[in-house]
Amino acid sequence: LHDALPILLTYAVQEGYINSNPCDRVVRVKSQVKPQPKTKYLEAYELKALMEICKEDSREWIYPLFRLLAYTGMRRQEILPLEWTDIDFQQSTLSINKALTVDYDNKITIGETKNETSHAIIALDQETLTALKRWQYVQATKYRLSSLIFPARHSNQCHSISYPNKELKKLCHKAKIPSISVHCLRHTHCTLLIRSGINIKDVQARMRHSDIETTLKIYTHQTKDTQKVVNTFSEFVANS
């Protein structure tokens, strides 16, 4: 109604019902409250809290799903069509070679990865492998072993592309951490890799970025580490 009021009053002036439009004398004041920036990544302690909540979830696939997302930086389109044959448990590696896509009829299909560099074989840590092995056993004994690692319930079909984001927001709320998207988990993986001291070229390779500028653009959260950076520089000079 408040949006239509000025128009109604202008009409009233034109028809002679009132002499002037009082809205003409209203001064619009811009809000001084700046919107809070959206969280683009999690701190290490927040990621730990999220993983603990995932472990406690009664749905056995929740922890391996979000552990894999957080500890590989995979895209949600890439993780949903993953098959058990994509994991080499002996070599501790994962082959990323396909992704969910939406065709012109809004039908979800399994197609190619985002680009050529997105197709890769990456290493998995031991805890992630253990979580996946446990889920594979549960899937085979409690449900029905599917070719897909994370099929939709009672079927061999993938979950919808939006499904992980919906679940992640609920898990973040339970963990009492900022609500983030799956893509922010990818940013988290990239950011914490660099913070941990991994060479930027190695980070680029793991994130499967086509150029290093993309990797550097993601890591734009240096403000919280300003003192750490200064101390590291000072210690390096002093000990040289």
Side-chain angles (χ1 to χ4, degrees):
L1 181 60
H2 66 279
D3 292 330
L5 184 59
I7 299 174
L8 292 173
L9 291 174
T10 298
Y11 175 78
V13 171
Q14 292 173 349
E15 295 297 318
Y17 298 124
I18 57 177
N19 295 325
S20 62
N21 187 343
C23 287
D24 292 339
R25 297 189 294 274
V26 175
V27 178
R28 291 180 177 270
V29 180
K30 291 185 178 180
S31 174
Q32 299 299 313
V33 180
K34 294 183 179 180
Q36 293 295 319
K38 291 184 178 180
T39 300
K40 294 184 178 179
Y41 72 104
L42 294 179
E43 297 290 346
Y45 72 91
E46 292 171 329
L47 181 58
K48 287 181 181 179
L50 176 62
M51 291 298 101
E52 286 302 315
I53 288 298
C54 290
K55 278 185 180 181
E56 295 171 3
D57 199 286
S58 59
R59 296 165 294 178
E60 299 94 338
W61 51 269
I62 284 287
Y63 179 56
L65 172 65
F66 288 103
R67 172 85 190 191
L68 193 57
L69 282 167
Y71 281 72
T72 63
M74 290 180 67
R75 302 175 179 91
R76 57 180 175 162
Q77 295 94 328
E78 297 168 338
I79 201 167
L80 293 177
L82 277 180
E83 298 179 293
W84 287 113
T85 53
D86 294 323
I87 299 180
D88 188 329
F89 286 104
Q90 291 187 332
Q91 297 296 323
S92 302
T93 58
L94 168 66
S95 176
I96 302 173
N97 50 50
K98 48 189 170 291
L100 293 187
T101 58
V102 181
D103 63 17
Y104 294 108
D105 297 324
N106 285 328
K107 181 180 179 182
I108 296 176
T109 59
I110 298 177
E112 295 296 321
T113 52
K114 185 178 180 181
N115 49 51
E116 187 176 345
T117 57
S118 295
H119 191 129
I121 296 176
I122 63 173
L124 297 178
D125 65 280
Q126 192 56 51
E127 170 62 21
T128 300
L129 283 166
T130 299
L132 287 167
K133 286 179 181 178
R134 188 181 300 117
W135 165 233
Q136 185 182 47
Y137 175 78
V138 171
Q139 189 190 94
T141 56
K142 189 175 180 181
Y143 304 104
R144 181 180 61 179
L145 186 62
S146 169
S147 60
L148 294 171
I149 299 177
F150 303 109
R153 189 178 180 185
H154 302 315
S155 75
N156 288 322
Q157 300 301 312
C158 301
H159 285 294
S160 66
I161 295 178
S162 62
Y163 190 79
N165 272 335
K166 292 178 181 178
E167 288 298 325
L168 182 56
K169 291 185 185 302
K170 297 175 187 176
L171 293 165
C172 287
H173 179 72
K174 289 181 181 179
K176 299 180 180 179
I177 60 174
S179 180
I180 62 168
S181 66
V182 168
H183 197 66
C184 291
L185 277 183
R186 180 169 166 80
H187 283 198
T188 296
H189 189 66
C190 180
T191 300
L192 296 184
L193 279 174
I194 298 175
R195 282 191 181 179
S196 65
I198 303 298
N199 181 279
I200 190 67
K201 290 295 291 182
D202 291 333
V203 176
Q204 178 194 354
R206 184 163 179 82
M207 298 306 297
R208 296 167 290 121
H209 291 146
S210 57
D211 56 77
I212 202 165
E213 285 78 11
T214 303
T215 310
L216 292 171
K217 282 179 182 178
I218 291 177
Y219 190 60
T220 56
H221 318 292
Q222 298 281 8
T223 52
K224 293 184 180 180
D225 283 340
T226 301
Q227 192 61 51
K228 180 181 177 181
V229 171
V230 171
N231 291 342
T232 301
F233 177 78
S234 299
E235 290 171 8
F236 173 76
V237 174
N239 297 325
S240 297

